Amino acid sequence: MTDGNSGSPGADSETILEFRGVTKSFGGRAPAVRDFTLSVARGQLVVLIGPSGCGKTTTLRMVNRLIEPSSGSIWLEGRDCKTYNPVELRRRLGYVIQRIGLMPHLTIGDNITFVLRLLGQPPAARRDRAAELLEMVGLDPAEYLDRYPAELSGGQQQRIGVLRALAHDPDIILMDEPFGALDPLMREQLQEEFKRLLRTVSKTIVFVTHDMDEALSMADIIVLMKDGEIVQVAPPEEMLRHPADEFVASFMGRHRVLRQASEVSVADVMIASPVMTSASNGLARSLELMRRRRVSSLLVQDSQGRYAGVVRQSELQDHIEAGDQSPVGTLADRTVATLAPSDSGLTAMHQLLSHQQVDSLPVLDADDRIVGLVTRGTLVGLLGDALRVARGVQDVNLAESDRALAGEVAR
Amino acid sequence: MTLLLHTYQFFTQHPGTIWRHTLQQLYLVAIPLAAAILVAVPLTMLATRVRRLYGPVMGFANAMQTIPSLALLALMIAIGLGIGVLPAVLALFLYALMPIVRNTYVGIMGVDPGVKDAARGMGVTSWQLLWMIEMPLALHVIIAGIRSALVATIGFATLASLIGAGGLGSLIMEGMGLASNSIVLAGTIPAIVLAFLAEGLMGRVERVLTPRGLRA
Ligand SMILES: Nc1ncnc2c1ncn2[C@@H]1O[C@H](COP(=O)(O)OP(=O)(O)O)[C@@H](O)[C@H]1O
Ligand SMILES: [Mg+2]
């Protein structure tokens, strides 16, 4: 649970959906889903994630019997799905797909309440329900009820797609890459909106995605799949910290790098004894110090040992050539951003990336004393360490998994 | 100029003859077309469910339209139906099948798979899928098929008089026999007017039956 939005299940949680050794083979090839076993507690948001073709969609569609398992069984509220009439089963569930699939010939109102129509609800009641749902996502019913899908933007259409799955108040909603076709900005907006919506209506959700950002931000439980099999089932935090194997680690690679950078503090990675000079020293002496220590800038201390700024080699040289006789303290630049030892490696990265003109940042303690220096080189080292951790083992190629992900996104 | 004058005179002097032939022509078009719709639409819908039906159905309809119209008429005589209205109606019916079969199939198969998947996932029965989703979305395509069948039938119907089915074609034949261009025109003009009227009417029907959400 990343932000406690949908009632994290406790020890007494009731299982609402259960996969028992489910296998699905299409023809003679290797099974699309193999021996899939999973319990979903009421109110949980379970995310199925994995590379393209790993069987996520097949798993989801077996729940509402758009696909029948080859073996094993799926249990819904203690009843084998096989014992339901498929049509009735589907009307009890919500279903949202990436292609949205709004009925182009029906109004928004009729689209939202399509299942209610199948269930035989009268038009007036359906209209009220549609209006109520539109209001929940901030769309004005007066404006939208009687419009047609083609008149709406992609983001609005998928909002309607989600509302449509909520209209008949199902306990379980199946979502197959619901936000996958939207641009990143719109996707994030709908994710947030959807999480808000879930706070008001508690639902059990099985959510398919290939986007790890989405999984981390939405999931109570992440189910990572590969070649039709479950590799790991864990809450997001645990999966980041304890990936079951190198495949999981590499699949989460980028996120673990960032996680690593945010867990490491500046104190852990800084150069603890940077080259310093006193403010009262002369310019030539300071330049000589730089040459000797092979650095291009110096940290300047005042007489009380407090940070007074930074001087750069090029500036020193210019002033010496101009015959300037003043002490180095007068050239010290105090405008450079500084870090505290307790700042995270991630903060340091941000600072350096957003101040392209500096290549190092002084680290100061609470009394403004210089305790270290973080350079671009330091951070490259930090990234390298994080990458090694993320790989789990040396020979798993991180770039490859990122390419695989990028390929799936592009698809 | 004199030709037009003579034609005009023929119209004013024999309104009954022209009316009778036009009416015959209408029957010759309406009956085969209605039959073709009633047979082709349901059969093709069935073929969208039972895919292996489509090959034979479309193959047959295609063959009927590929046979030159005259040969098709001759064929009716050859298979022992003789001459008259019945073989003509049968030939026209066979001729009208293809565009209707083709458009019904294309219309229904062309419904967005995402829409069908969503509908199935929400629990429509296969009948509901047909009536609530596929039919309304395919209707304007089916109508377009009926429209081309109609145009083809009207053209073909004037030939049907060759096997004694009557209609405006027989007026044209008569004029040709008498070497009277005015009588030929008296048959041709109503045939052309009829074709344009039918075309315009079907265009309207097509527009009205296009669901609002699909209109650009
Ligand atoms: N109807 C089908 N017929 C044959 N093979 C299928 C069918 N549906 C899916 N598959 C195969 O099953 C595997 C899993 O597919 P899918 O569940 O769609 O993967 P995902 O949603 O994870 O991308 C793929 O290899 C795919 O080609
Ligand atoms: Mg999929």
Side-chain angles (χ1 to χ4, degrees):
Chain A
M1 200 61 228
T2 45
D3 55 3
N5 59 16
S6 60
S8 218
D12 58 333
S13 64
E14 167 207 357
T15 296
I16 185 169
L17 179 65
E18 198 182 353
F19 297 82
R20 296 188 189 163
V22 176
T23 295
K24 176 66 190 183
S25 315
F26 294 105
R29 292 176 300 151
V33 176
R34 189 191 334 219
D35 198 21
F36 190 98
T37 297
L38 179 75
S39 277
V40 179
R42 186 180 289 278
Q44 257 184 348
L45 196 158
V46 174
V47 169
L48 306 183
I49 192 169
S52 177
C54 71
K56 308 180 292 288
T57 296
T58 305
T59 304
L60 195 75
R61 288 163 71 88
M62 284 192 284
V63 176
N64 62 8
R65 293 183 62 186
L66 287 170
I67 295 176
E68 299 286 356
S70 307
S71 65
S73 57
I74 298 173
W75 294 69
L76 187 75
E77 303 193 77
R79 218 179 118 182
D80 190 340
C81 280
K82 274 202 284 285
T83 66
Y84 288 93
N85 172 315
V87 164
E88 276 161 24
L89 174 70
R90 289 168 202 156
R91 291 177 188 174
R92 293 175 56 124
L93 303 169
Y95 187 50
V96 186
I97 54 175
Q98 179 176 356
R99 318 178 60 156
I100 308 179
L102 295 183
M103 317 297 167
H105 59 304
L106 301 182
T107 62
I108 298 306
D110 286 340
N111 264 289
I112 293 176
T113 57
F114 190 79
V115 178
L116 294 178
R117 177 169 157 208
L118 296 177
L119 293 170
Q121 268 212 15
R126 284 196 276 127
R127 203 176 161 82
D128 290 347
R129 177 67 176 148
E132 182 188 341
L133 286 160
L134 280 171
E135 268 163 9
M136 280 170 70
V137 296
L139 294 175
D140 179 13
E143 190 188 339
Y144 286 97
L145 266 181
D146 297 314
R147 292 176 78 176
Y148 285 87
E151 300 163 20
L152 269 54
S153 72
Q156 286 172 330
Q157 287 189 23
Q158 192 54 290
R159 279 193 183 87
I160 305 303
V162 171
L163 293 184
R164 178 169 70 170
L166 290 170
H168 51 298
D169 206 19
D171 289 332
I172 300 182
I173 302 177
L174 310 173
M175 307 181 88
D176 194 348
E177 308 202 16
F179 309 133
L182 307 174
D183 63 78
L185 212 68
M186 184 59 76
R187 185 181 319 153
E188 215 165 297
Q189 201 178 329
L190 259 77
Q191 285 166 359
E192 288 311 311
E193 198 172 285
F194 185 59
K195 284 195 276 187
R196 258 201 317 277
L197 211 58
L198 285 184
R199 266 174 240 139
T200 58
V201 291
S202 169
K203 298 286 171 205
T204 307
I205 295 178
V206 185
F207 190 109
V208 166
T209 184
H210 59 244
D211 175 1
M212 189 50 87
D213 284 316
E214 190 165 70
L216 291 172
S217 96
M218 315 266 312
D220 294 321
I221 302 285
I222 297 179
V223 177
L224 186 67
M225 297 177 66
K226 181 194 177 190
D227 300 335
E229 288 181 284
I230 295 181
V231 183
Q232 186 173 11
V233 178
E237 191 63 28
E238 192 191 322
M239 199 167 278
L240 281 167
R241 286 172 185 273
H242 309 291
D245 60 17
E246 56 268 37
F247 173 75
V248 182
S250 70
F251 199 81
M252 309 194 83
R254 185 161 53 87
H255 300 273
R256 289 192 18 100
V257 170
L258 292 179
R259 175 65 48 128
Q260 184 77 8
S262 64
E263 279 174 359
V264 168
S265 71
V266 164
D268 295 335
V269 296
M270 67 188 182
I271 298 166
S273 51
V275 186
M276 289 187 277
T277 183
S278 284
S280 55
N281 276 338
L283 298 182
R285 206 174 142 195
S286 303
L287 189 63
E288 181 51 31
L289 180 63
M290 279 187 183
R291 290 211 178 104
R292 214 163 0 101
R293 301 290 297 269
R294 297 172 199 283
V295 292
S296 61
S297 65
L298 287 176
L299 298 181
V300 183
Q301 270 181 317
D302 67 10
S303 51
Q304 274 86 47
R306 278 193 298 264
Y307 173 66
V310 180
V311 284
R312 276 170 284 268
Q313 190 176 19
S314 55
E315 251 169 293
L316 270 183
Q317 231 144 14
D318 291 347
H319 281 262
I320 290 169
E321 275 162 26
D324 190 344
Q325 296 294 324
S326 48
V328 70
T330 57
L331 296 183
D333 174 8
R334 281 227 58 163
T335 61
V336 176
T338 61
L339 295 166
S342 58
D343 283 340
S344 72
L346 197 59
T347 310
M349 279 187 198
H350 277 152
Q351 290 287 357
L352 270 181
L353 289 176
S354 53
H355 297 92
Q356 289 293 341
Q357 73 281 11
V358 300
D359 53 15
S360 61
L361 297 172
V363 183
L364 309 180
D365 67 9
D367 298 326
D368 255 7
R369 269 168 233 286
I370 301 168
V371 291
L373 183 73
V374 171
T375 65
R376 288 186 188 273
T378 321
L379 289 180
V380 169
L382 169 61
L383 266 173
D385 284 348
L387 283 171
R388 266 193 299 285
V389 175
R391 282 176 193 169
V393 292
Q394 287 288 332
D395 56 10
V396 174
N397 189 345
L398 179 69
E400 200 148 279
S401 88
D402 268 357
R403 264 202 304 280
L405 267 177
E408 176 154 357
V409 173
R411 192 169 53 86
Chain B
M1 238 18 243
T2 46
L3 175 62
L4 284 183
L5 189 67
H6 287 155
T7 310
Y8 177 74
Q9 280 168 350
F10 189 85
F11 269 95
T12 50
Q13 282 158 15
H14 310 275
T17 310
I18 289 174
W19 187 239
R20 187 163 41 82
H21 282 97
T22 307
L23 219 56
Q24 268 177 359
Q25 177 88 358
L26 275 177
Y27 287 135
L28 269 180
V29 171
I31 294 169
L33 188 69
I37 295 170
L38 288 178
V39 170
V41 173
L43 197 62
T44 313
M45 279 179 180
L46 188 66
T48 62
R49 309 288 125 147
V50 190
R51 268 334 145 68
R52 68 198 144 79
L53 275 183
Y54 182 67
V57 170
M58 188 60 199
F60 178 78
N62 231 337
M64 291 305 108
Q65 184 136 80
T66 309
I67 298 174
S69 355
L70 264 175
L72 187 60
L73 287 173
L75 196 67
M76 293 298 116
I77 300 171
I79 62 173
L81 286 171
I83 60 165
V85 175
L86 183 71
V89 164
L90 184 62
L92 286 164
F93 159 77
L94 293 173
Y95 193 69
L97 289 174
M98 200 282 282
I100 305 178
V101 169
R102 180 194 57 204
N103 279 41
T104 304
Y105 192 79
V106 167
I108 287 183
M109 297 309 282
V111 173
D112 180 356
V115 171
K116 289 195 274 196
D117 186 38
R120 276 201 207 91
M122 287 189 292
V124 293
T125 64
S126 49
W127 273 113
Q128 283 170 330
L129 185 67
L130 190 61
W131 286 118
M132 298 170 83
I133 311 292
E134 291 175 319
M135 268 305 274
L137 290 177
L139 198 55
H140 66 290
V141 183
I142 298 176
I143 299 291
I146 293 175
R147 184 173 167 183
S148 34
L150 175 65
V151 172
T153 309
I154 289 176
F156 189 7
T158 43
L159 277 183
S161 60
L162 284 177
I163 59 168
L168 291 167
S170 61
L171 205 57
I172 296 171
M173 295 293 179
E174 205 179 310
M176 281 173 19
L178 295 172
S180 158
N181 284 343
S182 59
I183 300 183
V184 170
L185 271 186
T188 313
I189 290 170
I192 292 172
V193 170
L194 218 57
F196 275 108
L197 277 181
E199 169 75 7
L201 185 76
M202 289 306 288
R204 279 197 88 90
V205 172
E206 195 180 322
R207 266 193 303 282
V208 168
L209 289 181
T210 302
R212 225 190 91 190
L214 291 188
R215 278 177 235 167

